[in-house]
Amino acid sequence: MVVNGGAYLLTRKGHIRFAVSFLLISSRIGIFVPALIVGGTGSYNSLFYLFTIILFACTFLEIRTALFVAVIHLLLLFLLRSNFPTLSAETVIGGPFSFNLFLSVFMLLLSYHQRRSSNERRDELSASEERYRILSELISDYAYSLRVARDGALLHEWITEDSFKRVTGYAHSELDKDEKVNLSLFLPEDEPALWAELEKTLRNEPTTAEHRIRTKNGDVRWVQLSRLPVWDINEKRVTRYYGVAQDITERKQAELALQASEQRYRKISELISDYAFYMHINEDGTMVREWITDSFLRVTGYLPAEIDGKGMSKLFHPESLVQIEEDHRRIIKGESTSSSSEYRIITKQGAVRWLNLLRQPAWDEGHTRVIGFYAVARDVTEYKQIEAQKVEENTLRKKAENAYDEIFANQKKLEKLRDDDYQRS
């Protein structure tokens, strides 16, 4: 108990080697001293148990140290034979000496083979991880592996240092202390989304998400993180996950610039028209609306989703649907449709209004196929009403003029008749 207690105290203080050495020496004394004090054949046979010390040494010490312990034991067994004068040389060699020699050689060879196999597996694993790191660095900006502790703490196992520093400006050691993951690299306002993705990963869901980071020189950059969790069947939880990061700053800046440009285009289009939109044309000729200005609701009374697909027949007057199909065929051929494209629509409230649509085709990079078209719509109902009123006024004026001419002609005829009657009389 005292020996085990001393070894335990040394282990708690971190002196593992001293604890093992203490156990080896104390156990050797515990076997040899009683045998020397008592003497006789029975005491010498108790030295059979020396193999347990060799087993302990093979388990916790290096092979060379275990071999040294085994040789010392065999020498002691042979040299201390003089303390047992009643034993013959044949008894000594055939007894504990040969027994411990055989078991020592067996355990040393077994321990050597196990450690060699373990080293080979470790080398293969290291080589595999190194290949994975190299490939990860080739296909991403940086890659890493995180271990998940039982309490949920994230601990770094490895990271591609050079590429991580190239992207962030930081060395890995500048951020993480004691292998614990430090998330201060990410913008504070993005942390809720970041933790939401991490929770999915810990539920064994592969995730891909975009996050913003602040580099060492203060720049804000966008990274796309893909995470692949590893589920431990025995522990029934995610014990680690692998991640790759790609710097997508330039792409995001282009996307944001495009969004800003489209937003400006929509605002300008809304200022110069009643509503505007963009239609994408698939290779099979079908069309999908990508965006439309909010003023569409004000003009038609419909939400855009209400007129998608077959809902177009609700908006446009039946007589206008034929003209729309013809104009779509023209736009697919690359022809712009001008002010002649006027259609009647029926608003959600049931009112009939007139729209003028101006379309401009959008070509692919090779200018071989129309991939969509931009369109602006103007409500020309008042103009059409004024135009119709003018037509009606012209018609009435012509009728009035015709009626006046007819009256004048009839008056002439009456006057002539009166003149004829006067002359006859």
Side-chain angles (χ1 to χ4, degrees):
M1 293 293 292
V2 175
V3 172
N4 292 335
Y8 175 74
L9 290 175
L10 288 171
T11 304
R12 287 294 301 271
K13 293 182 178 181
H15 305 300
I16 306 298
R17 288 185 175 274
F18 286 112
V20 173
S21 301
F22 178 70
L23 285 174
L24 287 176
I25 294 172
S26 58
S27 59
R28 186 181 297 139
I29 292 173
I31 294 175
F32 271 107
V33 171
L36 293 174
I37 292 174
V38 176
T41 304
S43 297
Y44 190 78
N45 287 338
S46 67
L47 299 179
F48 276 104
Y49 296 104
L50 285 173
F51 83 92
T52 58
I53 300 177
I54 303 302
L55 178 62
F56 184 78
C58 289
T59 303
F60 294 100
L61 299 176
E62 295 180 357
I63 295 295
R64 288 179 295 182
T65 304
L67 177 61
F68 176 75
V69 172
V71 171
I72 293 297
H73 284 181
L74 293 174
L75 287 175
L76 288 174
L77 284 171
F78 191 77
L79 294 175
L80 293 177
R81 184 178 61 84
S82 58
N83 292 282
F84 304 91
T86 58
L87 300 178
S88 63
E90 290 79 4
T91 302
V92 172
I93 294 173
F97 182 85
S98 59
F99 179 78
N100 280 280
L101 174 63
F102 172 76
L103 284 182
S104 295
V105 172
F106 176 77
M107 286 186 291
L108 286 168
L109 289 175
L110 180 62
S111 179
Y112 172 77
H113 174 73
Q114 288 178 336
R115 295 190 184 190
R116 182 175 178 180
S117 299
S118 177
N119 290 336
E120 288 177 352
R121 287 195 299 271
R122 186 169 59 251
D123 292 341
E124 289 176 359
L125 179 61
S126 298
S128 176
E129 287 187 346
E130 185 62 25
R131 288 194 297 269
Y132 179 79
R133 294 187 200 187
I134 293 172
L135 289 174
S136 298
E137 193 161 357
L138 290 174
I139 63 177
S140 64
D141 287 293
Y142 67 88
Y144 57 91
S145 172
L146 296 183
R147 181 164 52 87
V148 183
R150 287 185 175 275
D151 60 0
L154 302 178
L155 306 174
H156 261 301
E157 288 188 319
W158 58 260
I159 193 169
T160 51
E161 291 282 359
D162 293 341
S163 53
F164 178 78
K165 188 171 184 178
R166 184 180 68 247
V167 173
T168 67
Y170 288 101
H172 173 243
S173 57
E174 293 181 81
L175 294 174
D176 299 340
K177 305 298 181 184
D178 300 326
E179 296 184 349
K180 289 187 177 180
V181 175
N182 187 337
L183 299 178
S184 61
L185 183 66
F186 299 89
L187 296 189
E189 55 266 37
D190 291 353
E191 284 190 10
L194 176 64
W195 279 111
E197 293 298 320
L198 288 176
E199 288 174 1
K200 289 181 182 179
T201 304
L202 296 181
R203 292 198 300 266
N204 200 28
E205 299 178 23
T207 61
T208 298
E210 298 173 356
H211 306 285
R212 289 180 297 173
I213 63 171
R214 190 177 299 278
T215 64
K216 192 173 184 178
N217 61 11
D219 294 337
V220 175
R221 301 194 70 81
W222 283 87
V223 292
Q224 179 175 281
L225 294 180
S226 299
R227 306 174 185 89
L228 179 64
V230 177
W231 183 264
D232 189 293
I233 299 177
N234 296 324
E235 297 190 25
K236 296 181 179 179
R237 67 181 183 90
V238 171
T239 55
R240 66 170 42 81
Y241 69 84
Y242 299 99
V244 294
Q246 289 182 309
D247 187 339
I248 59 171
T249 305
E250 293 183 1
R251 191 190 81 192
K252 288 296 292 185
Q253 288 175 343
E255 288 178 358
L256 293 173
L258 179 60
Q259 290 175 6
S261 175
E262 288 185 347
Q263 187 66 22
R264 288 193 299 270
Y265 180 81
R266 294 185 196 183
K267 291 296 182 184
I268 294 172
S269 298
E270 197 163 349
L271 290 173
I272 63 177
S273 64
D274 287 292
Y275 69 87
F277 59 94
Y278 176 78
M279 297 289 289
H280 176 74
I281 301 175
N282 298 316
E283 292 188 4
D284 61 357
T286 57
M287 299 182 182
V288 180
R289 189 191 68 254
E290 290 194 354
W291 59 262
I292 192 168
T293 55
D294 296 336
S295 52
F296 177 80
L297 177 63
R298 173 173 52 80
V299 174
T300 67
Y302 286 103
L303 293 170
E306 294 181 274
I307 56 93
D308 285 340
K310 294 181 178 180
M312 289 285 290
S313 60
K314 293 190 300 183
L315 177 63
F316 288 92
H317 193 280
E319 295 178 2
S320 295
L321 290 174
V322 177
Q323 185 183 353
I324 287 176
E325 291 180 0
E326 177 60 29
D327 288 340
H328 281 173
R329 284 193 289 269
R330 289 170 56 197
I331 201 73
I332 290 174
K333 294 178 181 178
E335 301 177 19
S336 298
T337 59
S338 60
S339 58
S340 61
S341 299
E342 293 179 348
Y343 314 96
R344 278 185 294 174
I345 66 168
I346 303 173
T347 68
K348 195 171 185 178
Q349 294 75 23
V352 177
R353 304 193 69 84
W354 283 88
L355 288 182
N356 172 251
L357 284 180
L358 175 63
R359 303 178 184 85
Q360 183 67 37
W363 295 83
D364 60 7
E365 292 183 359
H367 205 76
T368 58
R369 186 177 75 84
V370 174
I371 58 174
F373 65 87
Y374 296 91
V376 292
R378 289 189 302 116
D379 186 340
V380 294
T381 304
E382 293 182 3
Y383 170 77
K384 295 292 287 186
Q385 288 173 344
I386 293 172
E387 191 177 62
Q389 186 177 354
K390 287 181 178 180
V391 170
E392 186 177 356
E393 288 176 353
N394 289 334
T395 302
L396 291 174
R397 187 174 63 252
K398 287 180 179 179
K399 285 183 178 180
E401 289 176 352
N402 291 335
Y404 177 79
D405 290 342
E406 187 174 350
I407 292 171
F408 182 76
N410 290 334
Q411 187 177 1
K412 286 290 188 182
K413 288 180 180 179
L414 288 173
E415 290 177 354
K416 186 178 181 182
L417 288 173
R418 282 199 300 267
D419 290 344
D420 293 342
D421 290 341
Y422 177 76
Q423 291 175 2
R424 282 196 299 268
S425 63

